[in-house]
Amino acid sequence: MSTIDNIPTLYRRGKDTSDRRVLDRITRDFSWHAGKTGPAHEDWEVLLSREWLVTNGLGGYASGTVSGAPTRRFHGILIAALPSPYGRTMILNDVSEQVLLPDGELFDLGGEETTAGITNFRGVTHLFAFRLEAGLPVWIYRFGDFVLEKRVHLVNRQNTAHISYIWHGSQAATLRVRPAIYFRPHEGALSGLDPRKYSVNSHERWIEIGDASALPALRLGVSRQDAAFHKDEKKIPDLRFRVEKDRGYDNVGDLWSPGYFELRIKPDERATLIGSTEDWAILEALDDEEAFHAEMERRRRLISTCNPALHDAFGGELALAADQFLITPIGRVGDTARALASGDEIRTVIAGYHWFTDWGRDTMISLEGLTLVTGRHAEAGYILRTFAHYVRDGLIPNMFPEGKTNGLYHTADATVWFFHAIQRYVEYTSDRATLRLLLPQLCDIVQCHLEGTRFGIRVDPNDGLLCQGADGYQLTWMDAKVGDWVVTPRRGKAVEINALWYNALRLLEEWTREERDSDFAARFGEQAERVYESFNRRFWNSGTRYLYDVIDGQNGSDDLSLRPNQIFAISLEHPVLDRQHWKPVLDVVQQKLLTPVGLRSLAPDHPDYKSRYDGDLRARDAAYHQGTVWAWLIGPFIDAYLKVHPDNLQVARHFLEGFTRHLSEGCIGSVSEIFDAEAPFTPRGCIAQAWSVAELARCWVKTAGMIPTPELSGIHPAGEHVMK
């Protein structure tokens, strides 16, 4: 008889135990009020609200809920990253299972929601446990004395998904696995499915599903030779995607299944359903066991090269979460060709899952936490050199739209964040060659800002401060827009942009002096001195004892809204704010904006403050930067706190405690984009956000008092890690 406590998981049964020694402690159990047979009916809502995410290093991913029922249009087993013009594409939407026990009793696993309500709940009652092992999802289903273990992983740098099953018990059972599809763009309409467009062809033990378009075919097969495919076409109508309904989007759609695979599965045997868009030669290069252990070895190496402060269980989770955002953008073929020709590689950062692509601002803010504290220094260099290629008129791109090869440049701060990212990279790596390569561009960037560039981004000759603004554009990180309504336009001289501008000038002064260009260094130093004087004279408000958020706004007015943006005047490498004002600013931010999961974007006593981020698109965007908590802001807050209180590492670490609980809610094992502004601080927005994870990882290292080390000798011992 198998019990939940002594099941040898698929991972632990591997031939090579080296990955186990590193990874088996990085386990996060998600619990609910389960009875002896699984969750009670009232726990359905809990199982629907917790999500999981697995990525493939190309921008593709798999994601769903713990329950197995999709609640978003973005939930699927294989969302493939395809070359332009396609971009990310839903290829394998769902897989459902049936288990036929030795006594003939049949169980449907998982559950789904239709417009008629919840169905298949009887199968969900057999879901006994869910956990992440080394960042990968594992489900445990129990049927009396029998247990079925299921897990999902994607093959790195492939559009290939593996769903593996292992059976525990004294007798064999029959397993039926039914794939369901609707090929569509990542954010495409849910309606319009036409099964007549799909063709199904056999290829030895595989089937190949194509449609009438030029999309690659979906190849499906089971790792076992005795698996049989039964053609049994079926339309699954009126699936309800409840989160999309709440968000005001298209929320009802259909799927189509060509049939199901069936096989007998003996005790402790494994079977794997493989779905892929790759060529046959790539698909058949690794069997399912080889692919799984290759992924485990890759994850072991990721942990082993991290800063030692990430070698505890929580830090290891953050390192694995960080890996999800670092990708090779498969669609930008020209970028790849240029990089390879110069002996480089192309990398970028997905800003957030499920719907964001790569954003310049998010990438530069995230660079240290995703690549430098995790020991992935070469990839940091790839990212910086990739973005340097796209500098236009003194700006790096704000974003690359899905399926496109050209960037959009409507941002005033991404480029000055570029300087910050380079400074952090050089400090970690001492890579002066890359700095020298980029230095002429950095000088040109400053010149473009002095002369004026796109979107009204220019230095005011009267005070040396950087101003920005153009009709219909939102150019700072507070960039919510609904139709023609720019919610927080912040046109004028924004506090964080001028803090970043000053920091960029001081860095350029240092770098040019180090390269023995004293004339340029003196010029940049003079500009920086002018910014420093003007900033402290104009932004400090002695009455409130904090900083204006924007001065010289659209109507010549100054905005005294209490926002977190002023924290950057302290937190950056070269703080622009006079030291005497650091503590008053920090104190007011801590008192009115700090929460257990980041900083509020607006103080609660402001008339525009919104305590919740929910409703349709207009309601959400009205709250996006009007109180909503942003997790990534915990990073600059801790930087500022430790400048004011340099001996209080323990207190600074305390500010991160809320995130240790959060990793068991929202997307299990990752960090959400935003949270409601009041308790219980419900997670919202993207279920996994690059700069949220990056800043948490960076601060986990910083508050441990560790010094970045490029070479690590191995994994430090850690205790048991079971988070519930």
Side-chain angles (χ1 to χ4, degrees):
M1 174 179 175
S2 296
T3 70
I4 203 68
D5 297 321
N6 63 19
I7 293 172
T9 69
L10 173 61
Y11 165 44
R12 295 190 179 105
R13 287 169 53 83
K15 297 176 181 178
D16 180 6
T17 60
S18 63
D19 51 10
R20 176 184 174 181
R21 287 196 299 269
V22 174
L23 296 174
D24 62 2
R25 69 174 178 271
I26 305 178
T27 298
R28 180 168 291 267
D29 286 346
F30 169 66
S31 64
W32 54 88
H33 299 97
K36 292 183 178 180
T37 59
H41 190 281
E42 58 267 23
D43 291 312
W44 175 255
E45 294 296 329
V46 177
L47 297 173
L48 284 171
S49 68
R50 301 302 191 268
E51 300 177 59
W52 56 272
L53 173 71
V54 181
T55 63
N56 69 358
L58 299 174
Y61 64 90
S63 184
T65 66
V66 171
S67 73
T71 61
R72 302 179 187 266
R73 70 172 68 193
F74 306 103
H75 284 160
I77 303 301
L78 179 59
I79 295 86
L82 302 177
S84 57
Y86 298 112
R88 287 176 292 184
T89 304
M90 180 67 75
I91 294 292
L92 177 56
N93 303 61
D94 196 16
V95 171
S96 59
E97 301 91 5
Q98 289 183 320
V99 175
L100 182 63
L101 296 184
D103 63 4
E105 192 170 8
L106 183 68
F107 291 96
D108 290 309
L109 303 189
E112 61 192 23
E113 283 192 287
T114 70
T115 53
I118 299 172
T119 63
N120 289 347
F121 186 78
R122 182 167 175 262
V124 179
T125 61
H126 292 273
L127 178 59
F128 188 85
F130 176 87
R131 62 177 174 266
L132 291 187
E133 287 185 0
L136 296 175
V138 183
W139 293 259
I140 302 295
Y141 295 92
R142 193 170 195 171
F143 315 91
D145 292 344
F146 300 99
V147 170
L148 180 70
E149 178 184 343
K150 169 185 171 181
R151 67 173 63 234
V152 174
H153 85 275
L154 303 185
V155 180
N156 191 47
R157 306 285 181 86
Q158 289 187 30
N159 289 309
T160 301
H162 285 214
I163 310 175
S164 296
Y165 308 89
I166 187 167
W167 181 249
H168 303 282
S170 59
Q171 302 177 63
T174 298
L175 179 64
R176 296 170 184 166
V177 182
R178 177 181 287 275
I181 66 168
Y182 175 21
F183 295 176
R184 57 174 172 81
H186 190 225
E187 297 193 56
L190 299 174
S191 59
L193 172 68
D194 184 357
R196 295 171 299 177
K197 294 182 178 180
Y198 294 98
S199 61
V200 181
N201 298 302
S202 297
H203 182 86
E204 298 178 354
R205 62 188 177 91
W206 300 81
I207 64 169
E208 187 175 67
I209 302 172
D211 71 352
S213 73
L215 284 170
L218 170 62
R219 288 155 178 161
L220 289 166
V222 175
S223 60
R224 295 267 299 279
Q225 294 291 335
D226 59 344
F229 178 73
H230 298 273
K231 191 171 183 180
D232 179 31
E233 294 189 19
K234 177 182 177 182
K235 188 174 182 180
I236 307 165
D238 299 327
L239 290 174
R240 177 193 173 202
F241 300 90
R242 58 163 57 193
V243 174
E244 304 305 324
K245 182 178 181 180
D246 292 343
R247 290 166 57 85
Y249 292 122
D250 182 19
N251 60 87
V252 177
D254 306 330
L255 296 178
W256 172 78
S257 173
Y260 61 90
F261 293 91
E262 183 178 71
L263 70 155
R264 291 285 286 173
I265 185 166
K266 297 177 183 178
D268 297 331
E269 277 191 341
R270 178 179 59 213
T272 302
L273 175 71
I274 302 171
S276 179
T277 64
E278 301 294 341
D279 292 338
W280 292 114
I282 295 175
L283 185 54
E284 296 179 338
L286 296 172
D287 65 27
D288 60 322
E289 185 172 352
E290 290 172 328
F292 182 79
H293 286 288
E295 178 60 19
M296 289 299 100
E297 175 60 21
R298 191 184 73 84
R299 289 171 180 256
R300 186 198 66 78
R301 289 197 306 270
L302 290 177
I303 302 300
S304 68
T305 58
C306 284
N307 185 291
L310 296 177
H311 289 172
D312 63 7
F314 183 70
E317 281 189 284
L318 295 177
L320 294 177
D323 176 62
Q324 296 177 325
F325 303 100
L326 293 168
I327 72 161
T328 299
I330 192 172
R332 302 213 292 271
V333 178
D335 280 2
T336 302
R338 280 187 297 269
L340 293 176
S342 62
D344 231 339
E345 293 187 35
I346 177 175
R347 294 288 190 280
T348 192
V349 170
I350 289 290
Y353 292 96
H354 304 95
W355 48 82
F356 285 142
T357 58
D358 45 339
W359 288 63
R361 174 192 303 115
D362 301 56
T363 297
M364 299 308 145
I365 292 171
S366 301
L367 189 85
E368 183 177 1
L370 296 186
T371 64
L372 298 176
V373 302
T374 59
R376 302 173 72 163
H377 301 163
E379 289 172 279
Y382 298 155
I383 290 168
L384 293 173
R385 293 187 291 272
T386 295
F387 270 87
H389 170 76
Y390 280 96
V391 172
R392 302 287 185 275
D393 299 326
L395 301 175
I396 68 169
N398 187 33
M399 64 168 295
F400 290 89
E402 187 80 65
K404 304 295 183 182
T405 57
N406 294 320
L408 302 178
Y409 288 82
H410 50 307
T411 171
D413 58 347
T415 310
V416 278
W417 275 114
F418 188 39
F419 286 76
H420 169 79
I422 293 168
Q423 183 268 328
R424 303 307 296 140
Y425 171 74
V426 172
E427 181 169 317
Y428 273 79
T429 67
S430 300
D431 181 3
R432 305 294 299 187
T434 290
L435 178 60
R436 293 187 188 102
L437 177 70
L438 301 180
L439 205 51
Q441 275 187 307
L442 300 178
C443 293
D444 288 344
I445 285 170
V446 168
Q447 189 61 36
C448 287
H449 282 65
L450 289 169
E451 295 174 354
T453 184
R454 305 181 190 185
F455 308 110
I457 300 169
R458 63 181 179 83
V459 169
D460 184 340
N462 295 313
D463 56 18
L465 297 175
L466 192 60
C467 54
Q468 51 79 32
D471 288 339
Y473 286 95
Q474 64 284 28
L475 301 176
T476 74
W477 80 273
M478 291 187 162
D479 56 0
K481 182 180 179 183
V482 184
D484 294 331
W485 176 36
V486 178
V487 182
T488 47
R490 304 183 72 230
R491 291 178 63 174
K493 298 165 183 173
V495 63
E496 81 281 8
I497 289 180
N498 278 281
L500 286 159
W501 172 237
Y502 174 79
N503 188 58
L505 290 170
R506 285 301 188 197
L507 291 173
L508 205 48
E509 178 190 14
E510 288 179 6
W511 294 333
T512 50
R513 181 176 293 113
E514 290 165 357
E515 294 302 314
R516 293 179 172 79
D517 195 332
S518 57
D519 290 342
F520 268 106
R523 179 186 174 199
F524 297 134
E526 290 169 4
Q527 290 286 341
E529 286 293 339
R530 192 171 185 216
V531 172
Y532 186 90
E533 187 279 328
S534 296
F535 185 96
N536 285 280
R537 176 169 48 84
R538 299 290 313 282
F539 277 95
W540 172 252
N541 185 292
S542 58
T544 61
R545 296 182 63 76
Y546 63 82
L547 305 182
Y548 287 100
D549 189 57
V550 179
I551 62 172
D552 297 343
Q554 285 179 264
N555 301 315
S557 59
D558 299 336
D559 182 3
L560 199 52
S561 301
L562 177 54
R563 296 188 182 275
N565 304 305
Q566 61 192 293
I567 207 73
F568 296 102
I570 307 170
S571 66
L572 293 168
E573 182 74 10
H574 295 280
V576 68
L577 184 62
D578 191 286
R579 185 180 293 269
Q580 65 177 317
H581 302 316
W582 288 6
K583 190 175 186 304
V585 167
L586 178 70
D587 287 348
V588 74
V589 169
Q590 184 172 352
Q591 178 186 355
K592 293 196 173 183
L593 302 181
L594 180 65
T595 76
V597 284
L599 300 186
R600 296 184 179 97
S601 47
L602 185 64
D605 54 7
H606 194 284
D608 292 334
Y609 175 77
K610 304 289 190 300
S611 63
R612 288 175 58 85
Y613 177 88
D614 59 5
D616 61 16
L617 179 61
R618 186 177 182 86
R620 295 196 313 276
D621 277 348
Y624 204 33
H625 301 106
Q626 302 288 60
T628 296
V629 173
W630 288 77
W632 77 276
L633 292 172
I634 198 65
F637 173 80
I638 285 179
D639 291 336
Y641 180 86
L642 288 175
K643 284 189 175 181
V644 176
H645 307 286
D647 298 325
N648 285 4
L649 276 176
Q650 186 174 357
V651 175
R653 172 61 69 94
H654 175 72
F655 295 135
L656 303 177
E657 287 181 1
F659 293 102
T660 64
R661 294 185 294 273
H662 170 62
L663 262 64
S664 286
E665 61 183 14
C667 181
I668 298 175
S670 193
V671 186
S672 298
E673 177 188 13
I674 52 178
F675 300 80
D676 282 346
E678 304 291 343
F681 304 106
T682 302
R684 307 283 190 179
C686 284
I687 65 170
Q689 191 79 357
W691 57 12
S692 300
V693 170
E695 286 296 89
L696 180 54
R698 182 180 69 81
C699 288
W700 194 253
V701 171
K702 184 166 188 169
T703 57
M706 306 297 291
I707 299 173
T709 53
E711 296 183 4
L712 306 176
S713 59
I715 292 296
H716 290 193
E720 182 181 0
H721 179 55
V722 179
M723 305 293 293
K724 294 188 178 182

